[in-house]
Amino acid sequence: EAYTEKKELSHLNYIYQNNDSQAFENSATIKAIDKEYHRKIYMIIGEGSVFLIILLVVTLKMNQSLQREYKMHLQQKNFLLSITHELRSPIASSKISLQTLEKRKNLARDKIDLLLSNSINDMDRLQSLVENLLLAAKIEGHSFQIGKDTCNLSEITSSVISKIRETNEGSRIFETDIKPNIFVLGDQMALTSVITNLIENAIKYSVEASAIKVSLREQVKDIIIKIADNGFGIPDKEKKKIFKKFYRLGQEETRQTKGTGLGLYIVHRILSLHKGKVSVRDNLPCGSIFEVVLPKTA
Ligand code: ADP
């Protein structure tokens, strides 16, 4: 409107001064008014677009952060559900075993042994859960310093396997290829936890009597540990996510296996602290292969 008004006023002024209405359309005055008009239009469109882009980016970012918050909230809820279950069930089951032992004084020796070994297994389960929780809490606090022990990885791996074999009583077929006396500078307790978590997962996420292959070897600069199972496998789109804190596949209510979603987070964080890494790929014909790479000079 201002443009039209200004144009009309200039037109009248031009006629008054030059007494020629036709020449006005080609005059310098109208060209200057048009130029000014287009400059303002471009300026408004430009400012508007910048404002719109900023608005879109802010909305997108807010949406992303809300979704992240929501996912974190769901994972924490799942974690609480699973931890409650994980703590409750071994306590309840070993309480029943102890109550049976207390009440039935004349139980046969083999029954007594069975109840005792069940209770010991329950305590082992509780112990490994509590150790994982403590380790996760320590790693969270950024003050966690890894030890610099000279660790014999070959011995650590073999002893983890024989301990797990004892408690799982041949439920899985272990195939091992462990090169003796492979040493690394690192935290003995944390590295034991890495290997324990990976082998326990290979058992948890595979079926009875399937094979689990554990290999340990050296390359020029690195040490490679591989744990391969013939279990349920991990879909490609989940392969990166499983290393996040509390992340578990599927919904807690429908999930069959026990766990807290902390194991692989701990594995990943501990290996990062040792300047190493962990990755997962598909095994053939089924299952997963977890590969740990640790630099010899870690
Ligand atoms: P948890 O076992 O306590 O659930 P983890 O952090 O150890 O937590 O593992 C995260 C998820 O990754 C598991 O819930 C499981 O779905 C998947 N996962 C881990 N290891 C394996 C494996 N060997 N085979 C198939 N799935 C696995």
Side-chain angles (χ1 to χ4, degrees):
E1 274 174 13
Y3 164 72
T4 323
E5 295 287 316
K6 196 171 176 184
K7 208 171 153 184
E8 268 172 20
L9 211 67
S10 302
H11 194 186
L12 290 175
N13 199 21
Y14 192 86
I15 294 169
Y16 175 73
Q17 280 178 4
N18 302 302
N19 206 12
D20 182 358
S21 171
Q22 296 301 313
F24 175 70
E25 290 303 325
N26 293 321
S27 68
T29 319
I30 186 76
K31 278 184 184 152
I33 292 172
D34 277 352
K35 201 174 161 195
E36 175 69 6
Y37 172 73
H38 287 120
R39 199 182 63 79
K40 282 203 170 137
I41 290 279
Y42 290 138
M43 198 180 79
I44 290 166
I45 292 176
E47 281 174 1
S49 313
V50 170
F51 181 70
L52 202 72
I53 290 170
I54 291 174
L55 199 75
L56 280 175
V57 171
V58 169
T59 317
L60 208 77
K61 289 271 169 213
M62 269 173 67
N63 191 29
Q64 278 174 350
S65 95
L66 276 177
Q67 280 191 356
R68 257 201 310 272
E69 283 286 310
Y70 179 67
K71 268 191 197 154
M72 198 63 196
H73 165 76
L74 265 190
Q75 282 170 0
Q76 281 180 352
K77 193 180 126 209
N78 282 347
F79 171 71
L80 278 180
L81 273 175
S82 61
I83 199 99
T84 317
H85 172 78
E86 290 286 288
L87 287 172
R88 219 186 246 159
S89 60
I91 293 174
S93 120
S94 59
K95 191 174 170 189
I96 290 172
S97 301
L98 292 174
Q99 281 171 337
T100 316
L101 284 172
E102 190 190 32
K103 272 187 211 146
R104 312 220 357 227
K105 302 274 189 247
N106 51 354
L107 267 182
R109 187 68 235 172
D110 58 337
K111 293 254 167 59
I112 295 176
D113 288 345
L114 183 70
L115 288 173
L116 287 175
S117 86
N118 283 349
S119 294
I120 291 170
N121 285 348
D122 286 330
M123 290 304 126
D124 278 343
R125 214 173 115 191
L126 268 182
Q127 189 183 6
S128 99
L129 176 68
V130 171
E131 270 166 13
N132 261 358
L133 287 174
L134 285 177
L135 206 52
K138 270 198 217 163
I139 292 169
E140 278 295 274
H142 292 282
S143 56
F144 181 65
Q145 296 275 322
I146 53 160
K148 288 278 174 204
D149 323 311
T150 306
C151 308
N152 186 335
L153 267 185
S154 317
E155 272 178 14
I156 294 178
T157 313
S158 302
S159 79
V160 167
I161 294 175
S162 51
K163 198 163 168 236
I164 287 180
R165 257 187 185 143
E166 260 172 45
T167 40
N168 287 277
E169 283 164 10
S171 73
R172 302 291 184 279
I173 302 153
F174 277 97
E175 292 169 23
T176 53
D177 175 14
I178 296 167
K179 195 171 168 248
N181 294 326
I182 295 189
F183 290 92
V184 72
L185 214 58
D187 192 303
Q188 172 105 7
M189 201 270 280
L191 290 172
T192 310
S193 164
V194 166
I195 296 168
T196 309
N197 270 305
L198 291 175
I199 299 182
E200 279 181 349
N201 275 353
I203 295 177
K204 261 199 302 192
Y205 303 106
S206 65
V207 289
E208 278 285 294
S210 62
I212 293 171
K213 287 186 193 154
V214 182
S215 72
L216 171 65
R217 57 193 169 74
E218 257 178 319
Q219 286 178 348
V220 185
K221 288 184 176 161
D222 301 317
I223 293 163
I224 316 281
I225 309 168
K226 278 189 202 160
I227 291 136
D229 63 61
N230 288 128
F232 315 137
I234 300 163
D236 283 344
K237 66 175 175 40
E238 306 279 2
K239 284 194 172 80
K240 280 222 160 70
K241 297 185 194 161
I242 54 172
F243 297 101
K244 288 186 182 154
K245 192 164 58 169
F246 304 144
Y247 195 84
R248 306 195 71 211
L249 265 62
Q251 273 305 306
E252 200 59 43
E253 291 83 354
T254 56
R255 209 172 280 132
Q256 296 296 313
T257 47
K258 306 159 201 139
T260 56
L262 280 178
L264 290 180
Y265 165 72
I266 290 174
V267 167
H268 178 254
R269 290 275 291 136
I270 288 175
L271 289 170
S272 305
L273 290 168
H274 284 84
K275 300 191 174 61
K277 51 184 192 269
V278 56
S279 59
V280 62
R281 58 176 194 273
D282 291 336
N283 197 5
L284 285 174
C286 59
S288 322
I289 303 175
F290 280 83
E291 184 176 276
V292 170
V293 179
L294 267 173
K296 284 183 180 171
T297 51

